[in-house]
Amino acid sequence: MSLCPCGSALSLAQCCGPLHDGQPAISAEQLMRSRYSAFVLGLGDYLVHSWHPDFLGTLTAEQLSQTDTRWDGLEIMAAQGSQYDDEGSVEFKAWFLEGNERHCLHERSRFVRYQGRWVYTDGEQDPAPLRVGRNDPCPCGSGKKFKKCCG
């Protein structure tokens, strides 16, 4: 059993896998988690399909599939947008490695219903860079000090 990359503690088959296979998301948060998993797994076609076409620009599935970024943690901080809503938002932090450098993407993503399904429109990134001290808890969520984990 392969755990879902979104951090839900469920298997991929029980969590984001069905959405990647075409099942519609029931909430903005569920779509956000499935998009994060798609970035981890390199599923560019799914990312394009789950992006509102008015906000996608010139990005292609091939571009979204090919990356040197290694995603390694997701924390959902707040979410709005249930099966009864037409708009939603998700604030999250996603940790990733580019080369040997660890970064954190902190974003407030916006979602809307488009043709009956949730899609991502855009987001606002937190301009403050992640500052982690050696003795601070590791941002990956391990519970260890940064210096003993990812630092």
Side-chain angles (χ1 to χ4, degrees):
M1 174 176 83
S2 167
L3 288 180
C4 191
C6 80
S8 68
L10 297 172
S11 71
L12 180 61
Q14 294 173 312
C15 192
C16 295
L19 278 74
H20 297 158
D21 292 338
Q23 179 180 313
I26 61 169
S27 68
E29 180 179 347
Q30 189 180 40
L31 181 66
M32 167 57 221
R33 287 182 174 279
S34 71
R35 285 178 54 80
Y36 172 83
S37 294
F39 275 107
V40 171
L41 300 169
L43 303 176
D45 287 330
Y46 179 76
L47 292 166
V48 167
H49 177 72
S50 62
W51 211 315
H52 193 291
D54 292 346
F55 292 84
L56 183 59
T58 60
L59 287 172
T60 66
E62 185 177 323
Q63 290 170 318
L64 291 166
S65 297
Q66 298 175 354
T67 179
D68 293 331
T69 302
R70 193 179 105 221
W71 297 95
D72 65 352
L74 175 67
E75 176 187 355
I76 303 293
M77 303 172 75
Q80 297 174 328
S82 73
Q83 61 192 18
Y84 306 108
D85 298 318
D86 290 328
E87 296 181 356
S89 65
V90 178
E91 181 178 355
F92 68 92
K93 289 183 178 179
W95 286 271
F96 61 97
L97 291 170
E98 285 185 341
N100 291 327
E101 290 190 39
R102 186 173 179 79
H103 303 276
C104 178
L105 169 64
H106 180 184
E107 183 174 300
R108 287 165 204 87
S109 296
R110 288 181 283 276
F111 300 86
V112 297
R113 285 206 187 266
Y114 175 75
Q115 297 180 344
R117 61 186 171 85
W118 282 108
V119 292
Y120 170 76
T121 59
D122 61 354
E124 241 179 88
Q125 291 185 18
D126 184 348
L130 178 66
R131 302 268 188 234
V132 181
R134 290 176 37 81
N135 291 315
D136 291 337
C138 190
C140 76
S142 68
K144 299 178 183 177
K145 288 184 178 183
F146 181 66
K147 67 182 178 187
K148 296 284 187 179
C149 191
C150 297

